[in-house]
């Protein structure tokens, strides 16, 4: 045992003195990263030549159908003249290939589990990436023990966000898209009982969760607040491999080497084909970087870096924002795969609304004892979208009546006959006993006296609210949702889209595609220009971004021009600037659930305002994104997903 402790101390000192640089046995397998990130939805990438031909064919057809005779600029050229004049052709090409905002819609909208994309989905993916690296480098069978370190926000709010459990599931080989959520608790408990973990589901090693998983509450890795480190040892206590990962929001995971080597546009997709397991470290990394650059060149068929670039591109090519995104998707997926994947994303969104509305559970997990509200809100609506006969609907005895009546705090319905006899000390009687005759005469004829409360009929607000709340209650309970663009903001986009499909849409199939691809384009701009991580930006980076994305998409499906869509996105974020992230007890419940409902309502209002104009406005989307970035940088860390300020310290837990 003493030998084991001395070995651990020696290896810790070596790791610290190296300043986290990689040793010969440390892994940077981008091939493994790519294989894991989208393993559950692997799609065959079209060849670059075929994809480019298809895009140019579509653009040529659009040009023939337009009446403009203005010469068209090459789609790959940057619209920023100052940068074009000051940069060489080589540097301009490199800038376009690595710094554009284009990512896949299906990376931005990914299927995962609640309650947090950055604290649940990201750590699970990071764990899976790490163990897959061990497999690819023939290290897994040599591992005897493992240590896990969670830093910053992952530690401060990790318990409430389910970070430890998600991380352990990733180390056991699970993915957010496919993990059986109902087995997570029992599997983690088994680790505590046996002090072991089955890496990648095949190799059992020593692991005491109480000692070998450390939450560094007051320490952060310098690259990002959501940092984690995995380290494995052999039977002698010598370190075999270690790596650090950063969950940057929306379920995206990067590490330090990749982040600094490849610029801003860092994502894991299909297999890198340039490296072999026997290559040297430098040769393998060079080949992998070359493959990544080539991958971005394929992705950037219609590149845009800013909102202005995007609107200019649409006007120049005669395309809508959704069409630009769709054509970019065709660079690595077929037309049928893109459409089917989009419908699958919506199917999961819609199912999360259904499950939230029809849930029979009364409370959400955690010490706050928050009651689910979506089932009762749904039952109170005058029109049931799913019908009461579906499995999971509330029993009639638990369903609030839809007839006239008063609802007490306990949820019981009082008949109109008893309404006037609730209490001898009604509001009106209390008012009259405290006023003089002269004061009562002044009130005469000014206000209408009502004998009982009247339920407001605001169906738009009701439906938007219940849809958003349903999704986020499912997310809070650890259910399967879509990161849109994060789990904490997962209810806004489904709510607005569902409302449009149920009450306004004349062509639901096309509107689903238009909505998702338009909102994705706006999300890409925020991801490149600022962040979608609450640990960096506060809640303006989550609900604020989701509101902006939804506003833009709603304006698009309502027939807005690209300029009006950009205006809607700007309005949606402008009035969310400075929004803090202060979850009570670290749970994605208060204020997160209600905040999604308000975000959905605000998105529709923003779109309506934008559609009343012609698209011209004083404040641009790019200016708002930059303002959001600066605001997030200036915001105190206690308001950025740490539960150290705001509501988190003013609302008692019990």
């Amino acid at each position: 045992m003493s030998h084991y402790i001395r070995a651990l101390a020696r290896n810790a000192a070596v790791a610290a003195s190296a300043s986290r640089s990689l040793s010969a046995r440390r892994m940077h397998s981008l091939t493994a990263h790519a294989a894991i990130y989208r393993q559950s939805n692997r799609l065959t990438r079209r060849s670059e030549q075929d994809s480019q031909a298809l895009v140019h064919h579509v653009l040529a057809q659009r040009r023939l159908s337009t009446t403009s005779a203005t010469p068209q600029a090459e789609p790959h050229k940057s619209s920023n003249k100052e940068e074009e004049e000051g940069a060489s052709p080589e540097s301009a090409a490199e800038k376009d290939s690595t710094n554009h905002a284009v990512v896949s819609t299906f990376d931005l909208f990914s299927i995962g589990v609640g309650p947090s994309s950055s604290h649940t989905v990201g750590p699970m993916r990071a764990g899976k990436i790490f163990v897959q690296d061990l497999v690819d480098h023939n290290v897994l069978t040599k591992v005897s023990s493992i240590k896990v370190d969670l830093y910053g926000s992952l530690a401060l709010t990790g318990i409430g966000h389910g970070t430890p459990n998600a991380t352990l599931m990733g180390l056991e080989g699970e993915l957010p898209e496919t993990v059986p959520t109902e087995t997570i608790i029992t599997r983690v408990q088994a680790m505590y009982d046996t002090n072991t973990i089955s890496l990648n589901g095949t190799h059992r090693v020593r692991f005491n969760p109480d000692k070998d998983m450390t939450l560094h509450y007051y320490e952060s890795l310098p690259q990002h607040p959501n940092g984690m480190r995995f380290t494995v040892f052999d039977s002698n206590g010598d370190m075999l491999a270690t790596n650090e990962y950063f969950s940057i929001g929306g379920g995206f995971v990067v590490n330090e080497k990749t982040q600094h080597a490849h610029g801003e546009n860092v994502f894991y997709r299909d297999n890198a084909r340039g490296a072999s397991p026997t290559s040297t470290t430098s040769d393998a990394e060079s080949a992998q970087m070359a493959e990544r650059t080539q991958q971005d060149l394929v992705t950037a068929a219609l590149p845009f870096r800013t909102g202005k670039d995007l609107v200019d591109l649409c006007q120049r090519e005669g395309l809508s924002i959704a069409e630009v995104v769709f054509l970019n998707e065709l660079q690595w997926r077929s037309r049928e795969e893109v459409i089917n994947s989009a419908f699958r994303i919506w199917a999961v969104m819609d199912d999360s609304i259904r499950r939230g509305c029809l849930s029979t559970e009364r409370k959400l997990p955690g010490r706050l004892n928050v009651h689910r509200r979506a089932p009762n809100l749904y039952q109170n609506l005058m029109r049931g979208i799913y019908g009461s006969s579906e499995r999971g609907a509330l029993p009639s005895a638990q369903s609030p009546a839809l007839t006239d009546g008063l609802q007490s705090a306990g949820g019981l319905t009082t008949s109109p006959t008893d309404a006037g006899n609730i209490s001898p000390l009604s509001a009106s009687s209390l008012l009259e006993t405290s006023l003089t005759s002269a004061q009562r005469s002044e009130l005469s004829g000014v206000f209408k006296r009502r004998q009982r409360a009247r339920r407001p009929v605001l169906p738009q607000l009701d439906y938007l609210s219940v849809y958003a709340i349903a999704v986020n209650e499912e997310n809070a309970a650890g259910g399967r949702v879509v990161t849109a663009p994060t789990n904490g903001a997962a209810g806004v986009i489904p709510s607005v889209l569902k409302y449009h499909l149920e009450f306004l849409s004349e062509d639901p199939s096309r509107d689903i595609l238009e909505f998702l691809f338009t909102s994705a384009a706006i999300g890409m701009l925020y991801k490149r220009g600022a962040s979608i991580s609450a640990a960096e930006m506060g809640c303006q980076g989550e609900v604020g971004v989701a509101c902006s994305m939804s506003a833009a998409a709603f304006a698009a499906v309502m027939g807005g021009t690209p300029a009006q869509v950009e205006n809607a996105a700007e309005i949606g974020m402008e009035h969310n600037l400075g929004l803090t992230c202060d979850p009570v007890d670290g749970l994605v419940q208060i204020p997160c659930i209600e905040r999604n409902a308000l975000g959905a309502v605000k998105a529709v209002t923003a779109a309506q305002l934008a559609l009343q104009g012609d698209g011209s406005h004083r404040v641009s989307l790019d200016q708002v994104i930059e303002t959001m970035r600066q605001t997030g940088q200036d915001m105190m860390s206690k308001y950025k997903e740490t539960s150290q300020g705001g509501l988190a310290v003013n609302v008692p837990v019990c």
Side-chain angles (χ1 to χ4, degrees):
M1 178 63 68
S2 61
H3 171 73
Y4 179 71
I5 295 175
R6 286 196 301 272
L8 287 180
R10 181 177 67 254
N11 288 320
V14 171
S17 64
S19 300
R20 293 185 297 274
S21 62
L22 295 178
S23 65
R25 289 176 292 182
R26 191 175 180 182
M27 297 162 303
H28 284 293
S29 176
L30 293 178
T31 302
H33 293 169
I36 299 308
Y37 184 75
R38 304 307 297 170
Q39 181 177 347
S40 67
N41 193 26
R42 191 185 305 260
L43 299 171
T44 304
R45 189 170 71 183
R46 301 163 68 93
S47 68
E48 181 179 0
Q49 294 79 9
D50 291 344
S51 299
Q52 293 288 351
L54 178 59
V55 170
H56 291 311
H57 172 73
V58 173
L59 293 179
Q61 294 296 321
R62 294 302 298 258
R63 292 191 188 102
L64 289 175
S65 65
T66 60
T67 57
S68 173
T70 305
Q72 303 295 324
E74 290 295 328
H76 286 83
K77 291 185 178 179
S78 171
S79 61
N80 192 321
K81 294 182 179 180
E82 294 179 0
E83 291 180 353
E84 288 180 351
E85 293 172 357
S88 64
E90 292 80 11
S91 62
E94 182 180 358
K95 195 175 192 66
D96 279 344
S97 68
T98 60
N99 286 344
H100 58 75
V102 176
V103 298
S104 174
T105 299
F106 309 109
D107 287 336
L108 199 65
F109 292 138
S110 61
I111 300 170
V113 294
S116 171
S117 52
S118 60
H119 287 56
T120 311
V121 176
M124 189 180 297
R125 284 182 176 147
K128 175 61 174 174
I129 291 169
F130 182 70
V131 295
Q132 187 63 41
D133 277 346
L134 297 178
V135 173
D136 293 345
H137 289 266
N138 298 317
V139 176
L140 181 62
T141 56
K142 303 175 184 178
V143 176
S144 179
S145 61
I146 183 171
K147 287 189 176 296
V148 178
D149 295 276
L150 303 176
Y151 293 87
S153 180
L154 292 182
L156 288 166
T157 61
I159 300 299
H161 285 62
T163 304
N165 291 358
T167 305
L168 297 178
M169 287 298 99
L171 292 173
E172 285 209 334
E174 297 289 357
L175 283 168
E177 295 87 346
T178 57
V179 59
T181 57
E182 67 278 2
T183 67
I184 293 177
I185 300 300
T186 56
R187 290 168 64 180
V188 171
Q189 185 58 49
M191 297 177 197
Y192 280 89
D193 295 339
T194 63
N195 287 334
T196 62
I197 185 173
S198 180
L199 296 182
N200 206 37
T202 60
H203 183 64
R204 189 164 295 278
V205 302
R206 294 193 308 272
F207 177 72
N208 184 336
D210 292 324
K211 297 180 180 179
D212 297 330
M213 175 177 284
T214 305
L215 276 62
H216 300 265
Y217 295 105
Y218 304 107
E219 182 182 357
S220 293
L221 298 177
Q223 293 80 9
H224 194 277
N226 293 336
M228 67 202 91
R229 180 187 296 142
F230 304 122
T231 309
V232 291
F233 305 88
D234 63 16
S235 58
N236 295 321
D238 294 327
M239 183 179 69
L240 290 172
T242 184
N243 208 345
E244 294 171 354
Y245 299 88
F246 306 94
S247 181
I248 61 175
F252 290 95
V253 178
V254 299
N255 62 27
E256 181 183 5
K257 184 69 174 179
T258 306
Q259 194 173 34
H260 290 295
H262 193 61
E264 301 174 55
N265 195 17
V266 182
F267 305 98
Y268 304 123
R269 284 204 188 91
D270 300 324
N271 280 323
R273 297 169 298 194
S276 65
T278 59
S279 300
T280 64
T281 300
S282 59
D283 290 342
E285 290 180 355
S286 299
Q288 291 161 354
M289 286 293 101
E291 171 64 18
R292 290 284 296 283
T293 302
Q294 179 66 21
Q295 195 173 72
D296 279 339
L297 288 172
V298 174
T299 303
L302 295 171
F304 54 88
R305 301 178 59 219
T306 65
K308 183 179 184 303
D309 287 350
L310 180 58
V311 173
D312 289 347
L313 174 62
C314 291
Q315 293 175 344
R316 182 173 69 244
E317 303 294 352
L319 298 170
S320 69
I321 291 176
E323 288 171 329
V324 169
V325 175
F326 184 81
L327 290 176
N328 280 328
E329 290 294 334
L330 294 180
Q331 301 314 294
W332 62 90
R333 291 178 173 90
S334 71
R335 182 177 184 272
E336 292 72 20
E337 288 169 332
V338 172
I339 294 174
N340 291 336
S341 296
F343 284 136
R344 180 170 180 258
I345 290 295
W346 167 241
V348 176
M349 288 181 172
D350 191 40
D351 187 59
S352 65
I353 295 175
R354 183 191 62 81
R355 286 184 283 108
C357 287
L358 302 179
S359 174
T360 58
E361 297 177 359
R362 310 314 300 168
K363 292 183 179 180
L364 295 172
R367 297 187 299 171
L368 297 180
N369 291 318
V370 174
H371 286 262
R372 281 183 179 255
R373 299 166 66 184
N376 282 346
L377 290 172
Y378 171 73
Q379 293 288 343
N380 281 333
L381 291 176
M382 297 179 66
R383 174 169 175 251
I385 299 301
Y386 298 108
S388 59
S389 62
E390 287 206 25
R391 183 179 181 182
L394 290 174
S396 58
Q398 298 176 351
S399 303
L402 299 180
T403 57
D404 265 345
L406 294 177
Q407 197 157 20
S408 67
L412 299 177
T413 301
T414 307
S415 67
T417 306
D418 299 330
N421 300 320
I422 294 177
S423 171
L425 295 178
S426 64
S428 60
S429 64
L430 286 174
L431 181 65
E432 291 174 355
T433 57
S434 62
L435 296 179
T436 66
S437 298
Q439 288 173 317
R440 287 199 301 272
S441 64
E442 292 292 339
L443 293 174
S444 178
V446 178
F447 299 103
K448 180 180 179 181
R449 293 291 180 88
R450 295 187 177 89
Q451 295 300 316
R452 57 188 176 84
R454 185 178 66 182
R455 182 179 182 274
V457 181
L458 299 171
Q460 176 174 328
L461 300 183
D462 284 345
Y463 281 103
L464 286 170
S465 297
V466 73
Y467 294 156
I469 289 173
V471 174
N472 282 87
E473 287 179 346
E474 279 298 295
N475 177 67
R480 199 171 305 282
V481 296
V482 174
T483 59
T486 66
N487 281 32
V492 180
I493 289 175
S495 171
V496 177
L497 177 51
K498 180 72 171 178
Y499 173 76
H500 175 75
L501 294 177
E502 292 295 341
F503 299 104
L504 301 171
S505 177
E506 297 178 354
D507 192 344
S509 295
R510 293 179 185 272
D511 284 346
I512 289 171
L513 300 177
E514 183 89 16
F515 196 101
L516 292 179
F517 290 133
T518 301
S519 61
I522 303 303
M524 295 173 198
L525 296 176
Y526 281 102
K527 182 146 188 59
R528 184 197 176 277
S531 173
I532 56 174
S533 169
E536 288 186 295
M537 296 288 114
C539 198
Q540 62 176 358
E542 294 204 20
V543 171
V545 171
C547 176
S548 181
M549 294 167 65
S550 299
F554 189 76
V557 295
M558 293 297 290
T561 65
Q564 290 173 316
V565 170
E566 185 263 358
N567 188 14
E570 180 274 322
I571 296 173
M573 172 53 73
E574 182 179 345
H575 305 288
N576 278 298
L577 290 173
L579 195 61
T580 61
C581 180
D582 48 359
V584 179
D585 202 31
L587 298 169
V588 191
Q589 297 177 12
I590 300 175
C592 317
I593 295 174
E594 287 183 354
R595 188 168 287 175
N596 274 256
L598 272 293
V601 173
K602 190 180 293 185
V604 173
T605 304
Q608 290 174 327
L609 287 173
L611 292 171
Q612 295 300 316
D614 60 1
S616 60
H617 50 288
R618 183 65 180 84
V619 181
S620 72
L621 176 59
D622 295 327
Q623 291 168 337
V624 166
I625 293 176
E626 174 59 20
T627 303
M628 170 195 158
R629 185 189 67 81
Q630 295 177 10
T631 303
Q633 289 182 337
D634 294 339
M635 188 181 293
M636 298 177 67
S637 62
K638 68 180 183 178
Y639 297 118
K640 295 192 286 189
E641 207 171 10
T642 61
S643 291
Q644 293 180 320
L647 286 173
V649 299
N650 288 292
V651 176
V653 174
C654 55

